[in-house]
Amino acid sequence: MAQFEARSPAQPPRHEAAASGQDPHALFRCEHPRDVLALLRRLRDNAVPVTLSGPGGTHLNTTVWTVDDAHQRLALDVESGDSQLASLVEVNEATAVAYLDAIKLQFDLQDMVLVRGTRATALQCDLPTCLYRFQRRGSYRVRTLDRNAPTAHLRHPGMPDMPLALRILDLSIGGCALLLPEDVPPLPLGMVLHQVGLALDAESRTPVGLRLQHASSISHHHRGLRVGCEFLPLDPLAQRNLQRYIDQTQKRRRLLSLD
């Protein structure tokens, strides 16, 4: 491949607070080269979706293509025609987020450059020297029951005239996973939805805000997507409703010997 994009001068790393001993997330930092490489290779080997976010709300979905330890470079597989790609390269600043099991990985991209070949396009950057590992689930998450499963009612952010009632696959006090049918256009990851009605039962809806975090295939036999969402801060009533539903569902699953 031949490099073809000029780029802006590299921006200062956003971990300067860490260097000065003021990093509030110091306990979650992973800096040993062996551990950093192992995590990046897991992202590559499992083709884990990686979401890139830049200033001004720019976001891009990609996967890790190569991890070049010898040259200290990372390459991400991207679509050359993606409208968000040029913006990320221009500002030369992005944060990558991916999920491995119950762990959220986050790292910054520096010294980005596009490399285009005859068959594919890659976004190259410096191999990160630091990753952050956050536990995704700070509270108990319960799988919903197939019968009378709760739903999330919203309008598709890209098509306001399309109302959606998406089944909730699992739920915790911090977030939920939605089932997106294969015939519904994808939801833009990273977006915040403020007017979502959580129907935990047939009688009521709890208003919540959602941040769309990540998407993955459910199984080889199901073509829908599992969309992981984080709740925006909940009011006390919404918290009580959610906790009550989680507790009741957990008890019912145990009675039915599903867990």
Side-chain angles (χ1 to χ4, degrees):
M1 290 187 177
Q3 296 185 0
F4 82 106
E5 290 281 354
R7 61 181 183 272
S8 304
Q11 300 295 318
R14 280 175 284 172
H15 298 315
E16 290 178 352
S20 63
Q22 300 176 356
D23 184 2
H25 303 303
L27 292 176
F28 306 100
R29 293 174 65 190
C30 173
E31 294 181 291
H32 194 289
R34 180 184 59 219
D35 296 335
V36 170
L37 285 172
L39 290 169
L40 292 174
R41 286 167 178 161
R42 283 185 63 189
L43 295 179
R44 177 199 62 193
D45 295 344
N46 294 283
V48 174
V50 179
T51 301
L52 306 183
S53 301
T58 305
H59 66 274
L60 181 71
N61 298 321
T62 180
T63 55
V64 175
W65 189 353
T66 61
V67 180
D68 188 346
D69 183 26
H71 297 91
Q72 292 292 290
R73 297 291 284 176
L74 181 72
L76 303 167
D77 188 15
V78 294
E79 295 289 338
S80 60
D82 195 304
S83 60
Q84 305 286 304
L85 186 57
S87 299
L88 284 177
V89 174
E90 177 64 27
V91 298
N92 199 27
E93 181 180 352
T95 297
V97 172
Y99 293 86
L100 284 173
D101 301 323
I103 301 298
K104 172 184 175 181
L105 297 180
Q106 182 173 316
F107 56 94
D108 287 346
L109 273 58
Q110 301 290 336
D111 193 22
M112 291 187 289
V113 61
L114 274 179
V115 179
R116 180 169 298 186
T118 56
R119 296 184 178 181
T121 301
L123 179 63
Q124 285 192 358
C125 64
D126 288 342
L127 203 67
T129 58
C130 169
L131 283 79
Y132 286 82
R133 296 181 295 189
F134 301 100
Q135 185 73 23
R136 281 175 59 189
R137 299 172 183 175
S139 53
Y140 182 77
R141 181 175 293 255
V142 65
R143 286 178 294 159
T144 58
L145 299 167
D146 291 340
R147 186 177 180 181
N148 299 323
T151 52
H153 296 259
L154 62 147
R155 292 191 175 276
H156 196 291
M159 302 178 179
D161 293 334
M162 179 186 289
L164 300 175
L166 303 180
R167 178 186 166 186
I168 297 174
L169 297 172
D170 57 56
L171 184 70
S172 78
I173 200 68
C176 64
L178 307 178
L179 172 60
L180 187 70
E182 60 177 320
D183 59 348
V184 175
L187 297 173
L189 299 182
M191 176 168 281
V192 172
L193 304 177
H194 292 283
Q195 298 180 345
V196 179
L198 221 59
L200 300 176
D201 53 48
E203 287 76 32
S204 62
R205 292 188 187 182
T206 300
V208 299
L210 295 178
R211 179 178 287 105
L212 307 178
Q213 297 280 59
H214 57 94
S216 59
S217 299
I218 296 176
S219 69
H220 296 296
H221 306 290
H222 198 301
R223 295 185 179 180
L225 289 178
R226 181 183 187 278
V227 182
C229 305
E230 176 187 7
F231 289 131
L232 300 185
L234 300 169
D235 62 46
L237 178 59
Q239 290 185 26
R240 287 196 298 271
N241 290 341
L242 281 172
Q243 193 61 62
R244 184 183 304 112
Y245 176 87
I246 292 168
D247 293 342
Q248 292 175 347
T249 303
Q250 183 182 10
K251 292 176 182 177
R252 290 181 63 190
R253 291 189 66 87
R254 287 176 177 171
L255 289 172
L256 296 171
S257 300
L258 295 176
D259 291 327

